[in-house]
């Protein structure tokens, strides 16, 4: 343009092409580029000496520019004012997801709290949201689907970003008495299952009852995780943390009897549906009280330990893999794990 010096044209405009976008100096902006053979724009920028690279997840260049600029601006605000000034709930959910955490109840939570800053979300607001999101639910549902996941997501982000954790008062729940498995129930079940030529079903029922293993965890158990000689099994993929469990003599015998039949999965069950069908079939044949896998397994374990044998909560939690001892106290009652307590509670009594 006549009479118009090139220096008046912003650097970003003068150095633009179809593949990347760079700016420097006072007009510095995020760099946009495409990977070789790709259609989606990528961007990178440096704030306070830390470089960030992300995908804009769009082939639209103008939209990618907008996403990159907003991201960089947020990072700069965080440097100046602290993470709490920019960390939104949706960012906390993304951190939670990146860590492989449970996202079952997050859709409604995201819709409600999405762009709210974490620092502005309070316990009373979370309790109020529970009633709004699930108006016809009971307190147990509000706790399970709102209070617990909100607290977990926010505190996970707080750990990651060095922020203050949140405390949320749970709704008071009415305790309901539910049936629990017992040694007598398990023995009758196993006896019937073996008569029906279903030794794997007998073994998995005993295993869940004596180790507090969830049905999904039992289904994943491989022979590589079992040491019959030492009488132990290692649960690698659990809801909380991996743990070692001790096997009673009866459990070792049950496992030894099915060892040669199934070379990979210990109980030859792909999922909980398979286990349920087998268990229901045995229960009907034996004429036993109908129990779910949780009732005769994890709930039965805790009841047998705490209620029927007065084992302390700490030991029960260690053996059963409970992350929260408070849950056990609230449910079953108003050390270190060792083999002896398992043999004492679940093993056969020695005759004098």
């Amino acid at each position: 343009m006549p009479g118009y010096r090139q220096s008046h044209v912003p650097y970003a405009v003068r150095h633009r092409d179809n593949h990347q976008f760079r700016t420097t100096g006072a007009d510095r902006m995020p760099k946009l580029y495409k990977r070789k053979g790709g259609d989606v724009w990528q961007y990178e920028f440096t704030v306070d000496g830390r470089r960030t690279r992300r995908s804009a997840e769009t082939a639209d260049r103008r939209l990618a520019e907008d996403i990159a600029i907003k991201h960089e601006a947020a990072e700069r605000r965080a440097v100046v004012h602290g993470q709490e000034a920019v960390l939104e709930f949706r960012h906390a959910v993304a951190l939670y997801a990146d860590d492989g955490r449970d996202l079952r109840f997050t859709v409604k939570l995201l819709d409600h709290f999405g762009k709210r800053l974490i620092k502005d979300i309070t316990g009373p607001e979370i309790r109020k949201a529970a009633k709004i999101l699930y108006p016809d639910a009971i307190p147990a549902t509000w706790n399970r689907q709102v209070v617990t996941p909100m607290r977990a997501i926010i505190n996970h982000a707080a750990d990651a970003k060095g922020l203050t954790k949140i405390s949320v008062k749970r709704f008071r729940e009415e305790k309901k008495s539910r049936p629990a498995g017992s040694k007598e129930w398990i023995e009758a079940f196993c006896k019937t299952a073996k008569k029906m030529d279903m030794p794997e079903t007998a073994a998995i029922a005993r295993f869940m009852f004596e180790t507090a293993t969830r049905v999904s965890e039992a289904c994943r158990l491989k022979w590589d995780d079992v040491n019959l000689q030492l009488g132990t099994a290692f649960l690698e993929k659990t809801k909380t943390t991996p743990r070692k469990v001790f096997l009673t003599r009866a459990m070792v015998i049950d496992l030894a009897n099915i060892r040669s039949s199934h070379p990979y999965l210990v109980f030859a069950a792909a999922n909980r549906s398979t286990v349920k069908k087998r268990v229901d079939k045995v229960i009907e044949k034996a004429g036993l009280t109908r129990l779910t896998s949780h009732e005769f397994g994890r709930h039965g374990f805790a009841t047998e330990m705490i209620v029927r044998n007065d084992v302390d909560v700490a030991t029960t939690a260690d053996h059963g893999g409970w992350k929260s001892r408070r849950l056990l106290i609230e449910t079953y009652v108003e050390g270190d794990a060792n083999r002896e307590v398992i043999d004492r509670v679940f093993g056969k009594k020695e005759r004098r």
Side-chain angles (χ1 to χ4, degrees):
M1 181 181 299
Y4 193 85
R5 291 185 300 172
Q6 188 181 21
S7 60
H8 288 166
V9 181
Y11 185 92
V13 176
R14 288 186 281 120
H15 294 268
R16 186 179 298 206
D17 58 40
N18 292 329
H19 299 288
Q20 60 183 21
F21 173 37
R22 290 188 178 91
T23 59
T24 60
D27 298 317
R28 180 178 295 278
M29 293 174 63
K31 168 188 170 183
L32 264 66
Y33 61 95
K34 289 183 179 180
R35 292 198 174 101
K36 188 176 181 180
D39 294 325
V40 175
W41 286 100
Q42 313 290 321
Y43 64 88
E44 71 172 55
F45 56 81
T46 301
V47 172
D48 200 32
R50 184 171 66 89
R51 183 166 62 176
T52 297
R53 289 177 174 175
R54 291 285 190 277
S55 168
E57 298 183 355
T58 179
D60 185 315
R61 178 174 166 170
R62 294 178 64 182
L63 179 58
E65 283 182 17
D66 187 54
I67 291 170
I69 290 170
K70 287 181 178 178
H71 188 176
E72 183 188 34
E75 290 296 325
R76 292 192 184 281
R77 286 200 306 275
V79 170
V80 176
H81 303 290
Q83 285 288 343
E84 63 272 15
V86 298
L87 187 63
E88 298 174 4
F89 180 71
R90 59 195 177 110
H91 300 145
V93 172
L95 289 171
Y96 203 68
D98 289 343
D99 207 20
R101 303 301 181 93
D102 187 356
L103 300 175
R104 281 180 298 169
F105 306 121
T106 55
V107 174
K108 285 191 174 184
L109 300 180
L110 270 171
D111 289 341
H112 191 82
F113 291 104
K115 293 187 178 181
R116 289 285 303 280
L117 291 175
I118 290 295
K119 71 181 183 66
D120 294 334
I121 299 175
T122 64
E125 277 190 292
I126 292 173
R127 288 169 58 89
K128 182 179 178 181
K131 295 181 179 180
I132 293 173
L133 296 175
Y134 300 96
D136 300 321
I138 60 175
T141 301
W142 293 335
N143 286 331
R144 183 177 65 254
Q145 299 184 194
V146 179
V147 173
T148 298
M150 284 294 294
R151 185 172 55 196
I153 291 168
I154 292 175
N155 288 342
H156 177 268
D159 277 337
K161 301 295 184 180
L163 306 179
T164 303
K165 291 187 176 183
I166 194 173
S167 177
V168 187
K169 184 179 179 181
R170 292 171 61 84
F171 291 95
R172 185 178 183 85
E173 300 179 22
E174 292 184 13
K175 291 185 179 180
K176 291 184 178 180
S177 178
R178 63 186 303 180
S182 64
K183 292 177 70 173
E184 294 73 23
W185 191 96
I186 286 294
E187 290 301 332
F189 180 95
C190 291
K191 184 177 180 180
T192 301
K194 290 172 183 177
K195 285 183 177 179
M196 297 172 66
D197 195 25
M198 299 172 67
E200 302 87 354
T201 305
I204 196 171
R206 184 186 297 281
F207 187 80
M208 288 190 289
F209 174 67
E210 295 185 357
T211 65
T213 306
R214 299 172 180 85
V215 63
S216 57
E217 296 167 357
C219 288
R220 289 193 292 264
L221 188 68
K222 303 184 294 292
W223 284 112
D224 289 344
D225 302 323
V226 178
N227 190 321
L228 294 180
Q229 197 168 17
L230 295 179
T232 61
F234 185 73
L235 303 174
E236 183 176 4
K237 295 181 179 180
T238 70
K239 189 176 181 180
T240 52
T241 56
R243 63 188 176 98
K244 179 174 72 173
V245 296
F246 297 111
L247 310 178
T248 62
R249 180 174 175 77
M251 188 74 256
V252 170
I253 293 173
D254 282 353
L255 292 177
N257 288 336
I258 63 174
R259 178 67 182 88
S260 59
S261 303
H262 312 289
Y264 184 63
L265 291 177
V266 173
F267 301 111
N271 51 53
R272 65 174 65 241
S273 178
T274 300
V275 175
K276 183 180 185 305
K277 290 177 183 177
R278 295 175 181 176
V279 166
D280 288 347
K281 187 175 180 180
V282 175
I283 289 176
E284 184 176 357
K285 180 70 174 179
L288 292 168
T289 301
R290 187 168 295 279
L291 300 178
T292 65
S293 59
H294 181 81
E295 288 169 344
F296 70 72
R298 199 161 173 79
H299 182 48
F301 174 92
T303 302
E304 195 71 29
M305 292 279 276
I306 297 173
V307 178
R308 301 183 186 128
N309 288 273
D310 295 323
V311 177
D312 63 278
V313 171
T315 300
T316 303
D318 287 341
H319 277 296
W322 271 273
K323 189 175 182 180
S324 170
R325 293 178 181 178
R326 185 189 70 181
L327 176 63
L328 285 177
I329 294 173
E330 290 177 348
T331 306
Y332 300 99
V333 295
E334 196 83 32
D336 291 331
N338 54 61
R339 173 184 297 279
E340 285 70 24
V341 70
I342 295 299
D343 284 334
R344 175 169 68 82
V345 174
F346 298 102
K348 291 183 177 180
K349 300 295 188 291
E350 293 288 341
R351 288 188 179 181
R352 293 186 179 278

